[in-house]
mmCIF file of all heavy atoms in Angstrom:
data_model
loop_
_atom_site.group_PDB
_atom_site.id
_atom_site.type_symbol
_atom_site.label_atom_id
_atom_site.label_comp_id
_atom_site.label_asym_id
_atom_site.label_seq_id
_atom_site.Cartn_x
_atom_site.Cartn_y
_atom_site.Cartn_z
ATOM 1 N N ALA W 1 3.655 -4.111 5.792
ATOM 2 C CA ALA W 1 5.030 -3.656 5.592
ATOM 3 C C ALA W 1 5.988 -4.847 5.585
ATOM 4 O O ALA W 1 6.938 -4.897 4.793
ATOM 5 C CB ALA W 1 5.412 -2.655 6.675
ATOM 6 N N ALA W 2 5.742 -5.807 6.464
ATOM 7 C CA ALA W 2 6.572 -7.010 6.499
ATOM 8 C C ALA W 2 6.384 -7.837 5.234
ATOM 9 O O ALA W 2 7.351 -8.373 4.669
ATOM 10 C CB ALA W 2 6.231 -7.838 7.734
ATOM 11 N N LEU W 3 5.153 -7.923 4.753
ATOM 12 C CA LEU W 3 4.865 -8.675 3.528
ATOM 13 C C LEU W 3 5.556 -8.069 2.321
ATOM 14 O O LEU W 3 5.943 -8.781 1.383
ATOM 15 C CB LEU W 3 3.353 -8.702 3.277
ATOM 16 C CG LEU W 3 2.540 -9.890 3.768
ATOM 17 C CD1 LEU W 3 1.083 -9.711 3.390
ATOM 18 C CD2 LEU W 3 3.077 -11.199 3.209
ATOM 19 N N ALA W 4 5.715 -6.758 2.336
ATOM 20 C CA ALA W 4 6.350 -6.066 1.205
ATOM 21 C C ALA W 4 7.730 -6.630 0.921
ATOM 22 O O ALA W 4 8.146 -6.737 -0.241
ATOM 23 C CB ALA W 4 6.436 -4.571 1.496
ATOM 24 N N GLU W 5 8.428 -6.982 1.979
ATOM 25 C CA GLU W 5 9.780 -7.502 1.822
ATOM 26 C C GLU W 5 9.805 -9.003 1.578
ATOM 27 O O GLU W 5 10.755 -9.533 1.000
ATOM 28 C CB GLU W 5 10.603 -7.155 3.069
ATOM 29 C CG GLU W 5 10.718 -5.647 3.311
ATOM 30 C CD GLU W 5 11.514 -5.313 4.552
ATOM 31 O OE1 GLU W 5 12.004 -6.258 5.213
ATOM 32 O OE2 GLU W 5 11.643 -4.116 4.870
ATOM 33 N N GLU W 6 8.746 -9.688 1.999
ATOM 34 C CA GLU W 6 8.702 -11.145 1.882
ATOM 35 C C GLU W 6 8.177 -11.621 0.530
ATOM 36 O O GLU W 6 8.566 -12.680 0.057
ATOM 37 C CB GLU W 6 7.819 -11.733 2.993
ATOM 38 C CG GLU W 6 8.343 -11.490 4.399
ATOM 39 C CD GLU W 6 7.340 -11.909 5.461
ATOM 40 O OE1 GLU W 6 6.375 -12.630 5.110
ATOM 41 O OE2 GLU W 6 7.511 -11.516 6.627
ATOM 42 N N ASN W 7 7.270 -10.848 -0.053
ATOM 43 C CA ASN W 7 6.601 -11.306 -1.282
ATOM 44 C C ASN W 7 6.471 -10.142 -2.257
ATOM 45 O O ASN W 7 5.659 -9.245 -2.059
ATOM 46 C CB ASN W 7 5.231 -11.886 -0.944
ATOM 47 C CG ASN W 7 4.602 -12.634 -2.097
ATOM 48 O OD1 ASN W 7 4.858 -12.334 -3.264
ATOM 49 N ND2 ASN W 7 3.764 -13.615 -1.783
ATOM 50 N N GLU W 8 7.230 -10.173 -3.324
ATOM 51 C CA GLU W 8 7.228 -9.069 -4.285
ATOM 52 C C GLU W 8 5.953 -9.004 -5.116
ATOM 53 O O GLU W 8 5.714 -8.006 -5.809
ATOM 54 C CB GLU W 8 8.434 -9.194 -5.213
ATOM 55 C CG GLU W 8 8.433 -10.436 -6.082
ATOM 56 C CD GLU W 8 9.662 -10.525 -6.985
ATOM 57 O OE1 GLU W 8 10.613 -9.745 -6.791
ATOM 58 O OE2 GLU W 8 9.656 -11.388 -7.884
ATOM 59 N N ASN W 9 5.115 -10.039 -5.027
ATOM 60 C CA ASN W 9 3.856 -10.026 -5.772
ATOM 61 C C ASN W 9 2.736 -9.300 -5.032
ATOM 62 O O ASN W 9 1.682 -9.029 -5.606
ATOM 63 C CB ASN W 9 3.405 -11.454 -6.080
ATOM 64 C CG ASN W 9 4.217 -12.090 -7.192
ATOM 65 O OD1 ASN W 9 4.567 -11.424 -8.169
ATOM 66 N ND2 ASN W 9 4.537 -13.357 -7.049
ATOM 67 N N VAL W 10 2.970 -8.988 -3.756
ATOM 68 C CA VAL W 10 1.949 -8.269 -2.985
ATOM 69 C C VAL W 10 1.929 -6.808 -3.409
ATOM 70 O O VAL W 10 2.962 -6.126 -3.422
ATOM 71 C CB VAL W 10 2.224 -8.373 -1.475
ATOM 72 C CG1 VAL W 10 1.281 -7.441 -0.688
ATOM 73 C CG2 VAL W 10 2.054 -9.813 -0.993
ATOM 74 N N VAL W 11 0.732 -6.321 -3.756
ATOM 75 C CA VAL W 11 0.528 -4.913 -4.091
ATOM 76 C C VAL W 11 -0.625 -4.399 -3.231
ATOM 77 O O VAL W 11 -1.478 -5.176 -2.799
ATOM 78 C CB VAL W 11 0.215 -4.701 -5.592
ATOM 79 C CG1 VAL W 11 1.394 -5.112 -6.456
ATOM 80 C CG2 VAL W 11 -1.041 -5.464 -6.000
ATOM 81 N N VAL W 12 -0.628 -3.115 -2.980
ATOM 82 C CA VAL W 12 -1.644 -2.538 -2.094
ATOM 83 C C VAL W 12 -2.315 -1.349 -2.766
ATOM 84 O O VAL W 12 -1.652 -0.490 -3.354
ATOM 85 C CB VAL W 12 -1.013 -2.109 -0.751
ATOM 86 C CG1 VAL W 12 -2.041 -1.381 0.117
ATOM 87 C CG2 VAL W 12 -0.468 -3.325 -0.009
ATOM 88 N N LEU W 13 -3.642 -1.315 -2.682
ATOM 89 C CA LEU W 13 -4.423 -0.204 -3.214
ATOM 90 C C LEU W 13 -5.256 0.392 -2.082
ATOM 91 O O LEU W 13 -5.746 -0.334 -1.223
ATOM 92 C CB LEU W 13 -5.365 -0.669 -4.325
ATOM 93 C CG LEU W 13 -4.753 -1.209 -5.617
ATOM 94 C CD1 LEU W 13 -4.309 -2.657 -5.475
ATOM 95 C CD2 LEU W 13 -5.766 -1.114 -6.757
ATOM 96 N N ASP W 14 -5.397 1.712 -2.097
ATOM 97 C CA ASP W 14 -6.176 2.383 -1.060
ATOM 98 C C ASP W 14 -7.016 3.486 -1.683
ATOM 99 O O ASP W 14 -6.629 4.095 -2.671
ATOM 100 C CB ASP W 14 -5.248 2.949 0.022
ATOM 101 C CG ASP W 14 -5.976 3.204 1.330
ATOM 102 O OD1 ASP W 14 -6.810 4.135 1.372
ATOM 103 O OD2 ASP W 14 -5.716 2.488 2.304
ATOM 104 N N ALA W 15 -8.187 3.728 -1.058
ATOM 105 C CA ALA W 15 -9.114 4.735 -1.575
ATOM 106 C C ALA W 15 -8.940 6.055 -0.823
ATOM 107 O O ALA W 15 -9.885 6.569 -0.223
ATOM 108 C CB ALA W 15 -10.548 4.229 -1.469
ATOM 109 N N ASP W 16 -7.719 6.573 -0.845
ATOM 110 C CA ASP W 16 -7.399 7.885 -0.277
ATOM 111 C C ASP W 16 -7.589 7.944 1.238
ATOM 112 O O ASP W 16 -7.933 8.991 1.787
ATOM 113 C CB ASP W 16 -8.241 8.976 -0.943
ATOM 114 C CG ASP W 16 -7.558 10.340 -0.893
ATOM 115 O OD1 ASP W 16 -6.320 10.386 -0.890
ATOM 116 O OD2 ASP W 16 -8.269 11.359 -0.833
ATOM 117 N N LEU W 17 -7.342 6.802 1.896
ATOM 118 C CA LEU W 17 -7.480 6.754 3.358
ATOM 119 C C LEU W 17 -6.286 6.053 3.999
ATOM 120 O O LEU W 17 -6.403 5.475 5.082
ATOM 121 C CB LEU W 17 -8.772 6.016 3.741
ATOM 122 C CG LEU W 17 -10.080 6.755 3.489
ATOM 123 C CD1 LEU W 17 -11.263 5.799 3.594
ATOM 124 C CD2 LEU W 17 -10.243 7.901 4.467
ATOM 125 N N SER W 18 -5.143 6.099 3.340
ATOM 126 C CA SER W 18 -4.015 5.267 3.767
ATOM 127 C C SER W 18 -3.515 5.552 5.176
ATOM 128 O O SER W 18 -3.037 4.658 5.862
ATOM 129 C CB SER W 18 -2.860 5.391 2.770
ATOM 130 O OG SER W 18 -2.400 6.724 2.701
ATOM 131 N N LYS W 19 -3.626 6.802 5.632
ATOM 132 C CA LYS W 19 -3.191 7.101 6.998
ATOM 133 C C LYS W 19 -4.140 6.515 8.029
ATOM 134 O O LYS W 19 -3.730 6.183 9.139
ATOM 135 C CB LYS W 19 -3.058 8.614 7.185
ATOM 136 C CG LYS W 19 -1.883 9.226 6.438
ATOM 137 C CD LYS W 19 -1.723 10.706 6.749
ATOM 138 C CE LYS W 19 -0.518 11.289 6.018
ATOM 139 N NZ LYS W 19 -0.352 12.741 6.305
ATOM 140 N N SER W 20 -5.407 6.392 7.657
ATOM 141 C CA SER W 20 -6.400 5.813 8.568
ATOM 142 C C SER W 20 -6.417 4.288 8.504
ATOM 143 O O SER W 20 -6.555 3.611 9.526
ATOM 144 C CB SER W 20 -7.790 6.356 8.239
ATOM 145 O OG SER W 20 -7.862 7.745 8.477
ATOM 146 N N THR W 21 -6.284 3.738 7.302
ATOM 147 C CA THR W 21 -6.289 2.286 7.150
ATOM 148 C C THR W 21 -4.929 1.673 7.460
ATOM 149 O O THR W 21 -4.802 0.459 7.570
ATOM 150 C CB THR W 21 -6.676 1.884 5.719
ATOM 151 O OG1 THR W 21 -5.688 2.388 4.808
ATOM 152 C CG2 THR W 21 -8.047 2.424 5.333
ATOM 153 N N LYS W 22 -3.914 2.525 7.544
ATOM 154 C CA LYS W 22 -2.527 2.148 7.862
ATOM 155 C C LYS W 22 -1.804 1.462 6.708
ATOM 156 O O LYS W 22 -0.715 0.906 6.903
ATOM 157 C CB LYS W 22 -2.462 1.278 9.132
ATOM 158 C CG LYS W 22 -3.042 1.973 10.363
ATOM 159 C CD LYS W 22 -2.396 3.321 10.624
ATOM 160 C CE LYS W 22 -3.024 4.068 11.770
ATOM 161 N NZ LYS W 22 -2.421 5.402 12.015
ATOM 162 N N THR W 23 -2.367 1.520 5.507
ATOM 163 C CA THR W 23 -1.614 1.021 4.356
ATOM 164 C C THR W 23 -0.428 1.931 4.049
ATOM 165 O O THR W 23 0.449 1.565 3.267
ATOM 166 C CB THR W 23 -2.511 0.925 3.112
ATOM 167 O OG1 THR W 23 -3.052 2.220 2.808
ATOM 168 C CG2 THR W 23 -3.641 -0.075 3.314
ATOM 169 N N VAL W 24 -0.390 3.094 4.689
ATOM 170 C CA VAL W 24 0.749 3.999 4.541
ATOM 171 C C VAL W 24 2.041 3.306 4.959
ATOM 172 O O VAL W 24 3.126 3.628 4.453
ATOM 173 C CB VAL W 24 0.529 5.298 5.353
ATOM 174 C CG1 VAL W 24 0.501 5.010 6.857
ATOM 175 C CG2 VAL W 24 1.577 6.347 5.023
ATOM 176 N N ASP W 25 1.942 2.335 5.859
ATOM 177 C CA ASP W 25 3.135 1.587 6.290
ATOM 178 C C ASP W 25 3.752 0.832 5.113
ATOM 179 O O ASP W 25 4.979 0.748 4.983
ATOM 180 C CB ASP W 25 2.774 0.595 7.398
ATOM 181 C CG ASP W 25 2.351 1.291 8.687
ATOM 182 O OD1 ASP W 25 2.457 2.523 8.766
ATOM 183 O OD2 ASP W 25 1.908 0.586 9.620
ATOM 184 N N PHE W 26 2.890 0.260 4.272
ATOM 185 C CA PHE W 26 3.366 -0.443 3.074
ATOM 186 C C PHE W 26 3.931 0.553 2.075
ATOM 187 O O PHE W 26 4.987 0.312 1.463
ATOM 188 C CB PHE W 26 2.211 -1.220 2.440
ATOM 189 C CG PHE W 26 2.593 -2.053 1.242
ATOM 190 C CD1 PHE W 26 2.932 -3.383 1.388
ATOM 191 C CD2 PHE W 26 2.599 -1.504 -0.044
ATOM 192 C CE1 PHE W 26 3.284 -4.158 0.278
ATOM 193 C CE2 PHE W 26 2.937 -2.258 -1.150
ATOM 194 C CZ PHE W 26 3.285 -3.595 -0.984
ATOM 195 N N ALA W 27 3.259 1.666 1.912
ATOM 196 C CA ALA W 27 3.693 2.690 0.957
ATOM 197 C C ALA W 27 5.087 3.208 1.285
ATOM 198 O O ALA W 27 5.852 3.569 0.387
ATOM 199 C CB ALA W 27 2.697 3.833 0.928
ATOM 200 N N MET W 28 5.418 3.245 2.548
ATOM 201 C CA MET W 28 6.723 3.753 2.976
ATOM 202 C C MET W 28 7.867 2.824 2.563
ATOM 203 O O MET W 28 8.969 3.282 2.277
ATOM 204 C CB MET W 28 6.738 3.939 4.494
ATOM 205 C CG MET W 28 5.793 5.017 5.002
ATOM 206 S SD MET W 28 6.301 6.688 4.525
ATOM 207 C CE MET W 28 7.747 6.900 5.561
ATOM 208 N N VAL W 29 7.592 1.520 2.524
ATOM 209 C CA VAL W 29 8.669 0.568 2.217
ATOM 210 C C VAL W 29 8.618 0.057 0.781
ATOM 211 O O VAL W 29 9.618 -0.436 0.266
ATOM 212 C CB VAL W 29 8.650 -0.630 3.202
ATOM 213 C CG1 VAL W 29 8.910 -0.140 4.623
ATOM 214 C CG2 VAL W 29 7.334 -1.382 3.142
ATOM 215 N N ALA W 30 7.448 0.154 0.142
ATOM 216 C CA ALA W 30 7.331 -0.325 -1.241
ATOM 217 C C ALA W 30 6.459 0.629 -2.044
ATOM 218 O O ALA W 30 5.375 0.250 -2.526
ATOM 219 C CB ALA W 30 6.759 -1.744 -1.276
ATOM 220 N N PRO W 31 6.892 1.885 -2.220
ATOM 221 C CA PRO W 31 6.054 2.880 -2.913
ATOM 222 C C PRO W 31 5.713 2.511 -4.341
ATOM 223 O O PRO W 31 4.653 2.908 -4.848
ATOM 224 C CB PRO W 31 6.911 4.149 -2.852
ATOM 225 C CG PRO W 31 8.311 3.672 -2.643
ATOM 226 C CD PRO W 31 8.195 2.439 -1.804
ATOM 227 N N GLN W 32 6.558 1.742 -4.995
ATOM 228 C CA GLN W 32 6.307 1.366 -6.386
ATOM 229 C C GLN W 32 5.199 0.330 -6.510
ATOM 230 O O GLN W 32 4.681 0.095 -7.606
ATOM 231 C CB GLN W 32 7.604 0.824 -7.018
ATOM 232 C CG GLN W 32 8.030 -0.564 -6.551
ATOM 233 C CD GLN W 32 8.718 -0.578 -5.196
ATOM 234 O OE1 GLN W 32 8.807 0.429 -4.506
ATOM 235 N NE2 GLN W 32 9.242 -1.736 -4.822
ATOM 236 N N ARG W 33 4.797 -0.282 -5.373
ATOM 237 C CA ARG W 33 3.725 -1.285 -5.384
ATOM 238 C C ARG W 33 2.505 -0.810 -4.600
ATOM 239 O O ARG W 33 1.626 -1.599 -4.263
ATOM 240 C CB ARG W 33 4.239 -2.613 -4.813
ATOM 241 C CG ARG W 33 5.174 -3.342 -5.752
ATOM 242 C CD ARG W 33 5.535 -4.712 -5.215
ATOM 243 N NE ARG W 33 6.647 -4.662 -4.279
ATOM 244 C CZ ARG W 33 6.755 -5.405 -3.178
ATOM 245 N NH1 ARG W 33 5.778 -6.227 -2.849
ATOM 246 N NH2 ARG W 33 7.800 -5.306 -2.408
ATOM 247 N N PHE W 34 2.451 0.497 -4.345
ATOM 248 C CA PHE W 34 1.312 1.079 -3.644
ATOM 249 C C PHE W 34 0.581 2.045 -4.573
ATOM 250 O O PHE W 34 1.203 2.885 -5.235
ATOM 251 C CB PHE W 34 1.773 1.829 -2.389
ATOM 252 C CG PHE W 34 0.662 2.575 -1.697
ATOM 253 C CD1 PHE W 34 -0.214 1.900 -0.864
ATOM 254 C CD2 PHE W 34 0.479 3.932 -1.902
ATOM 255 C CE1 PHE W 34 -1.253 2.577 -0.240
ATOM 256 C CE2 PHE W 34 -0.552 4.618 -1.279
ATOM 257 C CZ PHE W 34 -1.423 3.935 -0.445
ATOM 258 N N PHE W 35 -0.750 1.925 -4.607
ATOM 259 C CA PHE W 35 -1.542 2.759 -5.511
ATOM 260 C C PHE W 35 -2.702 3.412 -4.763
ATOM 261 O O PHE W 35 -3.573 2.714 -4.232
ATOM 262 C CB PHE W 35 -2.095 1.910 -6.670
ATOM 263 C CG PHE W 35 -1.029 1.143 -7.402
ATOM 264 C CD1 PHE W 35 -0.750 -0.173 -7.060
ATOM 265 C CD2 PHE W 35 -0.298 1.745 -8.410
ATOM 266 C CE1 PHE W 35 0.240 -0.887 -7.721
ATOM 267 C CE2 PHE W 35 0.693 1.040 -9.080
ATOM 268 C CZ PHE W 35 0.967 -0.271 -8.736
ATOM 269 N N ASN W 36 -2.696 4.731 -4.730
ATOM 270 C CA ASN W 36 -3.823 5.474 -4.183
ATOM 271 C C ASN W 36 -4.766 5.776 -5.337
ATOM 272 O O ASN W 36 -4.458 6.602 -6.197
ATOM 273 C CB ASN W 36 -3.341 6.768 -3.521
ATOM 274 C CG ASN W 36 -4.485 7.572 -2.923
ATOM 275 O OD1 ASN W 36 -5.648 7.175 -3.002
ATOM 276 N ND2 ASN W 36 -4.163 8.709 -2.340
ATOM 277 N N VAL W 37 -5.913 5.123 -5.349
ATOM 278 C CA VAL W 37 -6.840 5.269 -6.479
ATOM 279 C C VAL W 37 -7.809 6.431 -6.282
ATOM 280 O O VAL W 37 -8.658 6.690 -7.143
ATOM 281 C CB VAL W 37 -7.638 3.967 -6.716
ATOM 282 C CG1 VAL W 37 -6.703 2.790 -6.939
ATOM 283 C CG2 VAL W 37 -8.593 3.682 -5.563
ATOM 284 N N GLY W 38 -7.697 7.109 -5.134
ATOM 285 C CA GLY W 38 -8.641 8.184 -4.847
ATOM 286 C C GLY W 38 -9.932 7.633 -4.259
ATOM 287 O O GLY W 38 -10.046 6.445 -3.950
ATOM 288 N N ILE W 39 -10.905 8.530 -4.099
ATOM 289 C CA ILE W 39 -12.179 8.116 -3.500
ATOM 290 C C ILE W 39 -12.998 7.400 -4.575
ATOM 291 O O ILE W 39 -13.935 7.958 -5.167
ATOM 292 C CB ILE W 39 -12.923 9.328 -2.920
ATOM 293 C CG1 ILE W 39 -12.004 10.071 -1.945
ATOM 294 C CG2 ILE W 39 -14.191 8.881 -2.196
ATOM 295 C CD1 ILE W 39 -12.567 11.382 -1.461
ATOM 296 N N ALA W 40 -12.616 6.153 -4.847
ATOM 297 C CA ALA W 40 -13.200 5.390 -5.960
ATOM 298 C C ALA W 40 -13.104 3.898 -5.654
ATOM 299 O O ALA W 40 -12.355 3.158 -6.289
ATOM 300 C CB ALA W 40 -12.468 5.720 -7.257
ATOM 301 N N GLU W 41 -13.860 3.472 -4.658
ATOM 302 C CA GLU W 41 -13.777 2.077 -4.205
ATOM 303 C C GLU W 41 -14.174 1.081 -5.291
ATOM 304 O O GLU W 41 -13.583 -0.004 -5.388
ATOM 305 C CB GLU W 41 -14.677 1.877 -2.976
ATOM 306 C CG GLU W 41 -14.155 2.511 -1.700
ATOM 307 C CD GLU W 41 -14.499 3.986 -1.583
ATOM 308 O OE1 GLU W 41 -15.182 4.515 -2.496
ATOM 309 O OE2 GLU W 41 -14.088 4.613 -0.594
#
């Protein structure tokens, strides 16, 4: 989440586990740079 504000080139992808992996924190502050690809690692 802190990186989202520091570096606009950082993007985050998750395999439908964002609440468990905690990438949801990034999604909350930079939703346009967060991608849930589904169960497809």
Side-chain angles (χ1 to χ4, degrees):
L3 265 181
E5 299 179 2
E6 297 172 14
N7 192 331
E8 64 180 11
N9 285 321
V10 171
V11 296
V12 174
L13 295 80
D14 200 290
D16 206 30
L17 288 166
S18 61
K19 289 185 179 180
S20 295
T21 63
K22 301 305 176 181
T23 59
V24 66
D25 293 353
F26 183 93
M28 294 292 289
V29 297
Q32 73 281 6
R33 287 186 275 142
F34 174 80
F35 306 95
N36 181 0
V37 304
I39 306 172
E41 288 83 2

